[in-house]
Amino acid sequence: MVKLRKFRGYLAQKENIEKIISPPYDVCSIKEAREETGDNDMYYYHVNKPAIDLPDDCTMEDVANKGRENLEAFIEKGYLVRDDEERIYIYSQQLGDHLQFGVMALASIDDYDTGKIKKHEHTLPEVELERTNLCDTQCANAGPVFYSFREQEEIVQKISNISQQDHYAQVTTKDGVIHTLWKCSQEDSDWIVESFKDVDSLYIADGHHRSAAAYNVGKRRRERELAAGHEVTGEESFNFFMTVILPANQTKILPYNRLLNTLNDMTEEEFLEKIKKNFDVEEMKGDDHSAKEAGHISMYLGETWYDMQLKPELFRDEVSLNLDYTVLTDFLFKEIMGIENIKKDGRVEFVGGGRGIEYLVKR
């Protein structure tokens, strides 16, 4: 049983929605975000990446306070308009031929705590703390977490029916993604909340740091209330956080690329030979350089694309240890590069797949 709740969202002002909508906070650096934002005071990066408005030596507290200030300014200026009642929303993204619909609702920190919300990554402590402080100080979820669920026919059909109705807004962003939002009626909202009680689990598709931050904020605020002698029922707003929940068969997971900034004084030829000890490596032909399927990893080295696959004898009994990112971490970054903590070592950068292969080649 998954617990969802309706909420009274703040929606982008329709007349300026194209000026307001921005990418998620974690797809580019602060420098790149500043350049992209330019002089657009409506751009949502001011709210969900407020460090763009501060000097580089700002503190975590500075970022959180600026985030609250910017959010309050967006509301005061009418860039964000509060809905007239609590409800569920339906949100879709379309890129090319792929179209996915999700239920936009509040999920429960209790479900996160008890494991009904399934995780598959560790978080970076510094990033988790920064998101926690921002969320707590803003008193808001500046962006949703993306979850998936094992689709149930009736829920999928309900989503489809709602998506045939008039939408609240639709906008196409610079990356070619068409974003559409529908406001559910009270009847449909209540039906969705009730129907998700038959869903056993949710799975984090994107947003481990945001999920952890929302959970941390909920815990903090529970502790404050209890310390003040107040009763906590579990239905307070801090017990829930904003999510988009997509049927698993519609969910498209973009790559999350690793950019290696050094070869540890090895030549490209030496590096490739070391890789071949653990991986079957084949030069890729043609224009499609995406990974062929699960178990295959694409690598760009010396202006050439390679397909890599772990040698069969190195596969391990535990399934999770054979996931692509674990294989890459253990058999390349740790063993060949001596990188023990990929998330803290400056030799590795993470680049979201939404930026495209061209961006990786350029870097």
Side-chain angles (χ1 to χ4, degrees):
M1 172 180 169
V2 168
K3 187 192 295 185
L4 297 189
R5 290 293 181 267
K6 301 183 289 186
F7 70 105
R8 192 178 165 199
Y10 279 91
L11 309 176
Q13 184 186 50
K14 282 188 177 182
E15 308 91 271
N16 291 304
I17 194 167
E18 291 185 356
K19 293 181 179 179
I20 296 170
I21 190 170
S22 75
Y25 79 95
D26 57 352
V27 301
C28 67
S29 68
I30 292 172
K31 179 177 181 293
E32 291 168 326
R34 286 188 184 123
E35 293 171 354
E36 185 170 327
T37 302
D39 60 0
N40 180 4
D41 69 339
M42 296 184 183
Y43 209 47
Y44 198 66
Y45 269 156
H46 292 293
V47 174
N48 73 350
K49 204 175 182 76
I52 65 170
D53 297 320
L54 295 168
D56 290 336
D57 61 353
C58 64
T59 66
M60 207 175 284
E61 183 180 2
D62 293 334
V63 173
N65 289 331
K66 189 63 177 177
R68 182 182 181 113
E69 176 189 326
N70 288 350
L71 176 58
E72 290 174 346
F74 267 55
I75 295 169
E76 183 179 341
K77 293 176 181 179
Y79 302 162
L80 298 177
V81 181
R82 197 170 193 191
D83 203 346
D84 53 3
E85 58 184 343
E86 292 185 346
R87 68 175 81 243
I88 302 296
Y89 303 85
I90 301 299
Y91 169 64
S92 76
Q93 295 176 325
Q94 182 173 0
L95 179 60
D97 295 332
H98 182 78
L99 177 61
Q100 56 190 31
F101 293 89
V103 169
M104 198 167 191
L106 300 184
S108 164
I109 67 168
D110 290 329
D111 285 351
Y112 181 90
D113 189 35
T114 59
K116 288 182 182 177
I117 295 173
K118 307 295 184 184
K119 319 167 191 71
H120 63 268
E121 287 183 11
H122 297 295
T123 58
L124 290 169
E126 184 175 350
V127 176
E128 182 179 323
L129 181 59
E130 186 269 333
R131 284 289 114 182
T132 298
N133 290 341
L134 180 62
C135 178
D136 198 15
T137 303
Q138 285 182 321
C139 299
N141 297 133
V145 184
F146 282 78
Y147 291 164
S148 67
F149 71 101
R150 290 194 179 115
E151 59 279 355
Q152 296 190 10
E153 186 175 344
E154 288 187 348
I155 296 177
V156 173
Q157 186 60 53
K158 174 65 73 173
I159 294 172
S160 178
N161 292 344
I162 295 170
S163 71
Q164 303 305 310
Q165 302 168 15
D166 292 340
H167 55 251
Y168 168 77
Q170 185 175 83
V171 61
T172 302
T173 44
K174 288 184 289 187
D175 55 5
V177 177
I178 302 170
H179 305 262
T180 311
L181 184 74
W182 291 264
K183 296 165 69 171
C184 297
S185 67
Q186 288 303 309
E187 181 181 356
D188 285 339
S189 296
D190 292 338
W191 186 93
I192 289 170
V193 170
E194 191 65 26
S195 296
F196 265 86
K197 291 180 180 179
D198 295 327
V199 174
D200 293 331
S201 302
L202 302 177
Y203 303 83
I204 301 178
D206 179 54
H208 281 80
H209 288 96
R210 279 162 283 167
S211 297
Y215 172 72
N216 293 340
V217 171
K219 276 188 64 180
R220 278 185 185 181
R221 297 198 168 205
R222 276 185 182 179
E223 290 166 1
R224 289 176 197 160
E225 291 297 304
L226 292 171
H230 299 151
E231 181 185 3
V232 174
T233 67
E235 289 299 318
E236 296 82 3
S237 60
F238 54 72
N239 293 294
F240 300 92
F241 58 100
M242 186 167 61
T243 61
V244 174
I245 308 168
L246 306 108
N249 63 352
Q250 293 183 20
T251 306
K252 182 177 183 179
I253 307 297
L254 294 175
Y256 202 40
N257 304 295
R258 278 72 169 156
L259 189 63
L260 188 59
N261 293 319
T262 178
L263 297 181
N264 286 359
D265 296 327
M266 288 182 280
T267 65
E268 292 171 356
E269 292 76 16
E270 290 169 339
F271 181 65
L272 191 59
E273 285 305 309
K274 283 184 176 291
I275 288 175
K276 288 179 179 179
K277 293 179 181 179
N278 294 334
F279 294 87
D280 293 321
V281 181
E282 181 181 347
E283 187 174 332
M284 300 178 78
K285 306 296 183 182
D287 297 326
D288 184 6
H289 302 127
S290 55
K292 296 177 181 178
E293 57 186 77
H296 289 260
I297 298 167
S298 296
M299 178 182 69
Y300 184 70
L301 175 70
E303 300 185 359
T304 302
W305 282 96
Y306 297 93
D307 173 71
M308 298 163 39
Q309 190 174 21
L310 187 68
K311 291 182 180 292
E313 62 269 23
L314 297 178
F315 277 91
R316 294 165 284 190
D317 293 335
E318 189 175 333
V319 174
S320 64
L321 295 178
N322 298 319
L323 295 174
D324 294 343
Y325 81 92
T326 308
V327 164
L328 193 61
T329 297
D330 291 348
F331 291 99
L332 195 156
F333 291 117
K334 284 185 180 179
E335 185 171 324
I336 297 174
M337 298 300 300
I339 297 174
E340 292 298 323
N341 190 330
I342 189 173
K343 293 188 174 183
K344 289 187 175 181
D345 197 304
R347 288 175 287 177
V348 180
E349 292 181 45
F350 293 83
V351 180
R355 312 199 72 175
I357 284 177
E358 297 80 9
Y359 177 81
L360 292 175
V361 172
K362 183 180 176 181
R363 288 292 305 273

